[in-house]
Amino acid sequence: MYVMTLHRSSIGKKIIMAVTGLIWVGFVLLHMYGNLKVFLGPEYFNAYAEGLRTLGAPIFGHTHLLYVARLVLTVALVLHVWSAYSLTQQAHHARPSNYIVRQKVQANRASLSMRWGGVVILIFLIYHLMHLTWGLPVAPGVFVQADAYHNLVNGFHFIPATILYLLGVIALSFHLYHGVFSAFQTLGLNNQNTETSIKGAALALSLVISIGFAVVPLSVVAGIVR
Amino acid sequence: MKLHLKVWRQKSGNRQGHLVDYELDNVSPDESFLEMMDLLNEKLIEKGEEPVAFDHDCREGICGSCGMVINGIAHGPKAAVTTCQLHMRNFKDGDTVVVEPWRASPFPIIKDLVVDRSAFDRIIQAGGYISVSTGSAPDANTLPVGKEQSDLAMDAAQCIACGACVAACPNGSAMLFTAAKAAHLGLLPQGQPERNRRAVLMINQQDAEGFGGCTNIGECEAVCPKSISMDFIARLNRDVLVGTIAGAGRVEA
Ligand code: HEM
Ligand code: FES
């Protein structure tokens, strides 16, 4: 079980970050696909939400697989953020005083904003769960258990929530543009011959994800989904 | 040409440093950056001031001693050259040139622009031995090595351990150096038995020396005077992954 010693080295922490990050990418894609069903109307959308709870029936009981997924995602997020934090500390110790004049040569905005972008995603994620999953009183309107469609439409009529949602989506797409490429490099699956295609795929993924997520609140605000 | 220099002056590791302004006239475009620094030092000595301390040896881009962050870029504005091979024709008359030392905790400043890079030696030492027979030279072609493979190993072996990768990395990581040193042996048949173990031991030492972790930003590759590719970092990651899972570097019954 030497795999349990991965967290000891900086490369090991990066590998943990890459694997947990890719697990989240999988979730994010499925979640986006699911959200788009909102355009098919309330019955269809609510049936999908209920379908998540009866997933795997009759072998698995009500919400069992959903809780497995939630557990995996929570553990992955904790490991991802822990590694990010630990490596950030290590980097700050390695370069405590910066240059007086500093010029970047090939670094891009996405690669330089991973840490702050990650914090934005985390804040967004917590608010998002309070808002649309747990139905905590963080926005006006009534939260109706088992009526996901109503909660979504009602939720995005609260403009601050919509703005935070869009910020979260932008942060996520920047994070994934560098993150997906970085994960391949970290796992040793990249070289000069594959770099252009991996970066291209990462760009396509972040565009698909940002557009796919943003159309939902924007359509609510525009009155297309009501 | 005439230059406005701003040079980092620091008496010793435990003293505060700061930029000092110098005006330098009659700089020839054919001079190297180090020759320009020599000119400055001659002027300072004439005036009875302390000359600027900086490291140098071969002055032909092969020893890796020289290294300065020039206007915010390690080894200056021209790609794929060391500071000693950077010529003043890359600057214009009247330019302001800011000169700073490599900045990273594992590279403590000794004086002015001179830093202690012995952490690199300890990373190499931590890698340990490779299994080659000593004694008389082996017969030619007893150990075939593919052309592509040997070319790649030579690309990695170009690393002169100057430390520009560390200086340029926002995380103060030494990954490009460590990756190149691990790869030039790991790519050859002689380096195979210890390949993954060496990768694990070297990365552990790199962490212990206080270097940061890699975030694949690529500033290292962009400033490397030998244009060493980040491909070697991917390779090191792979070797460390395999080595860690296999428990390489551990001696247990
Ligand atoms: C939906 C949520 C998220 C997804 C899909 C995601 C995905 C990824 C991926 C794929 C990577 C690449 C791993 C690598 O560098 O090899 C990564 C890196 C990273 N993530 Fe996330 N992440 C998420 C949330 C977060 C959060 C909440 C934080 C911090 C609070 C964070 C901080 C970081 C940092 C600092 C890196 C390292 C960047 C680098 O090495 O350049 N991430 N993420
Ligand atoms: S002095 Fe030897 S590389 Fe510059």
Side-chain angles (χ1 to χ4, degrees):
Chain A
M1 286 312 279
Y2 288 118
V3 72
M4 301 305 272
T5 63
L6 263 182
H7 68 281
R8 292 188 194 163
S9 73
S10 56
I11 293 185
K13 284 174 193 156
K14 288 280 323 205
I15 290 168
I16 293 172
M17 202 148 56
V19 171
T20 54
L22 290 176
I23 291 175
W24 270 85
V25 170
F27 162 76
V28 161
L29 276 173
L30 289 175
H31 186 36
M32 181 196 79
Y33 178 71
N35 285 357
L36 291 175
K37 292 189 198 296
V38 80
F39 292 105
L40 300 174
E43 297 77 28
Y44 206 102
F45 188 72
N46 284 343
Y48 152 71
E50 178 54 24
L52 289 177
R53 286 161 180 78
T54 52
L55 208 65
I59 299 191
F60 292 93
H62 192 72
T63 70
H64 284 188
L65 277 189
L66 190 62
Y67 272 96
V68 172
R70 284 173 175 170
L71 184 72
V72 170
L73 288 173
T74 309
V75 172
L77 186 68
V78 169
L79 290 175
H80 191 84
V81 174
W82 172 80
S83 315
Y85 175 77
S86 165
L87 286 168
T88 304
Q89 291 300 98
Q90 188 177 341
H92 288 170
H93 287 137
R95 169 73 49 71
S97 64
N98 215 337
Y99 294 97
I100 293 168
V101 176
R102 181 118 183 83
Q103 233 177 299
K104 56 181 181 7
V105 190
Q106 75 173 28
N108 62 37
R109 252 171 246 275
S111 69
L112 293 172
S113 66
M114 292 302 277
R115 290 169 187 153
W116 281 112
V119 172
V120 172
I121 297 173
L122 193 61
I123 294 172
F124 157 72
L125 183 67
I126 293 168
Y127 179 82
H128 183 59
L129 287 173
M130 297 201 290
H131 184 205
L132 293 175
T133 305
W134 303 324
L136 297 177
V138 291
V142 200
F143 185 86
V144 186
Q145 207 72 47
D147 191 353
Y149 187 90
H150 160 85
N151 295 335
L152 184 155
V153 173
N154 176 50
F156 287 131
H157 277 139
F158 182 49
I159 297 301
T162 304
I163 291 174
L164 185 61
Y165 189 94
L166 293 175
L167 278 180
V169 167
I170 292 168
L172 183 63
S173 66
F174 269 79
H175 197 80
L176 289 188
Y177 173 55
H178 181 67
V180 168
F181 159 71
S182 183
F184 277 87
Q185 171 80 8
T186 300
L187 296 174
L189 302 173
N190 176 46
N191 63 42
Q192 277 168 358
N193 302 326
T194 56
E195 184 163 330
T196 321
S197 3
I198 293 178
K199 282 193 168 155
L203 180 64
L205 182 83
S206 41
L207 283 178
V208 165
I209 282 178
S210 49
I211 296 169
F213 275 108
V215 287
V216 175
L218 290 177
S219 306
V220 171
V221 173
I224 299 168
V225 168
R226 57 188 124 180
Chain B
M1 52 188 192
K2 193 171 154 64
L3 293 177
H4 312 289
L5 296 172
K6 286 175 181 292
V7 183
W8 185 261
R9 302 302 309 260
Q10 183 169 344
K11 281 213 154 52
S12 67
N14 43 28
R15 303 285 278 285
Q16 282 282 333
H18 52 101
L19 286 180
V20 178
D21 287 66
Y22 300 104
E23 300 296 320
L24 194 59
D25 224 339
N26 298 324
V27 177
S28 151
D30 297 330
E31 276 171 6
S32 75
F33 202 87
L34 295 190
E35 283 165 335
M36 184 278 291
M37 293 299 289
D38 291 339
L39 191 69
L40 170 69
N41 278 348
E42 280 165 22
K43 293 265 159 66
L44 291 179
I45 293 167
E46 273 170 24
K47 282 198 283 181
E49 289 175 31
E50 179 117 13
V52 181
F54 61 89
D55 245 342
H56 61 102
D57 189 10
C58 70
R59 297 205 174 201
E60 51 188 22
I62 52 170
C63 74
S65 304
C66 64
M68 302 172 187
V69 173
I70 302 162
N71 285 341
I73 302 179
H75 289 307
K78 192 167 160 49
V81 289
T82 52
T83 302
C84 59
Q85 294 281 288
L86 175 70
H87 286 87
M88 296 315 292
R89 52 179 164 271
N90 293 291
F91 298 85
K92 291 194 307 291
D93 187 39
D95 271 2
T96 300
V97 182
V98 181
V99 189
E100 293 179 72
W102 288 172
R103 291 191 196 281
S105 319
F107 285 172
I109 293 181
I110 298 173
K111 188 179 180 180
D112 296 338
L113 304 171
V114 182
V115 302
D116 178 357
R117 287 175 296 129
S118 42
F120 270 8
D121 300 338
R122 292 188 291 273
I123 294 178
I124 299 211
Q125 276 165 14
Y129 58 84
I130 58 161
S131 310
V132 286
S133 315
T134 54
S136 58
D139 282 342
N141 301 330
T142 43
L143 196 60
V145 183
K147 167 88 168 96
E148 291 82 5
Q149 203 74 359
S150 75
D151 281 354
L152 212 54
M154 284 305 289
D155 286 349
Q158 292 233 27
C159 171
I160 53 175
C162 64
C165 44
V166 177
C169 175
N171 306 304
S173 179
M175 283 283 272
L176 194 61
F177 162 78
T178 305
K181 294 300 174 195
H184 82 256
L185 296 171
L187 277 160
L188 294 176
Q190 291 90 339
Q192 288 314 303
E194 301 83 12
R195 174 175 161 188
N196 295 331
R197 190 189 70 167
R198 183 192 296 82
V200 172
L201 294 174
M202 288 175 86
I203 196 64
N204 287 345
Q205 188 64 31
Q206 182 190 299
D207 288 341
E209 295 290 344
F211 292 101
C214 174
T215 55
N216 302 321
I217 285 176
E219 288 292 282
C220 52
E221 163 185 88
V223 298
C224 176
K226 300 296 155 185
S227 303
I228 290 173
S229 158
M230 274 171 67
D231 286 10
F232 295 120
I233 296 184
R235 191 185 162 82
L236 178 70
N237 290 335
R238 205 157 62 223
D239 288 355
V240 169
L241 174 58
V242 174
T244 306
I245 292 176
R250 287 155 187 280
V251 186
E252 279 164 32

